[in-house]
Amino acid sequence: MTTTDIISETTGVQASAPNREGYCEFTLGKFHFRRDEYFAYVTWPTGDHTMSIDDFLRAMQRDVAWDFFYGTVNFDAVVGTINHYGTVDLFAGRFNEVYKTAERDYLQNFPTPEIRETFRSMLDDWTIAGFDPFASPAETDKPFGVKAGSNTDAVTRRRVAAARMVGVAGDEQVRTDDTHPVNRMFADVAQDEPVIEAEPGFEDRLAAFNLFAYLSRSNVTWNPSVVSVCKDSLYCPTTEEYILPIIHGNDRVEWFVQLSDEIQWVVEDRDTGVLRSKVTMRAGDVAAMPGDIRHQGYSPKRSMLLVWENASAALPEMIRTGNAPVYPVEF
Ligand code: PHB
Ligand code: FE
């Protein structure tokens, strides 16, 4: 903490006055965060790390919007968070054999509200006008340069999360031209909606929607959103373009159904980062990602991916104690 740091009374966020480039610096526990025109700098008691501000903000945007997601969100091979659903670990070098061997890795646990508020403030302060961390690189301005405006609407956009299913009365609704024009890469996707022929008396108990049309209108990338819920079973489709901005370390099995085009997945051991496989998924392919891996996807063109999550809160502990396998089926 420097003498110029201000601690917000409402959020507890510890931030400096604007630095030479106009950006606040943030302190969270023993971690310190600073940005300049091109880079984010993270320091901790035993080391320091530099990332492109582009990659850093895209990763930070996901961690914030997903409220630390399932398991581990690696910003890159060094820095990231582990969600313990109530508390969150912030780490450096924790899943990097070189840092661990050199004893330069570091980890600190925070109550979720504390890290959440700091990350939210940092994301908002460090995102300048015109840059949208959720957009594909082809559809946004650049994040570089000195502080110039902000893009609070983009970095705080509401996450789609159906309570039952998109299209059900009172739930998330289908997208229209007014709010969600069809994406440039999905101009050929049919926009017709299913016809529902309900028996008399059942009219308000049936719903259906065209998922391909719905996804063709997504204005974000690498952002699974819940479109249907059946107990702990969540359908979380997403549209992908360029590179998944995080390397996700699973704490449970995830199913992927490639709905269109192609994604190449690099799958590594979750804890060491050693390469386990490369998986190329084309339209119609289905894969189960094990509960002990980390993965990052590459999508050469905008594509549609269905991520099927089991949101059961019991799973991480069941896997940790060997009461559930890290793979989903035995053939
Ligand atoms: C994942 O980690 O499984 C994941 C995250 C974001 C996506 C797709 C998959 O857009
Ligand atoms: Fe994942």
Side-chain angles (χ1 to χ4, degrees), residues 62 66 69 72 221-224 236-240 244-250 254 256 263 265 289 295-296 305 307 309:
R62 272 72 186 177
W66 306 341
F69 207 34
T72 306
T221 59
W222 305 104
N223 187 28
C236 309
T238 155
T239 54
E240 322 294 48
L244 173 59
I246 62 152
I247 309 166
H248 181 222
N250 284 5
E254 294 174 315
F256 287 168
I263 298 177
W265 287 96
M289 291 284 167
H295 51 190
Q296 187 169 34
L305 170 69
V307 180
E309 294 282 0

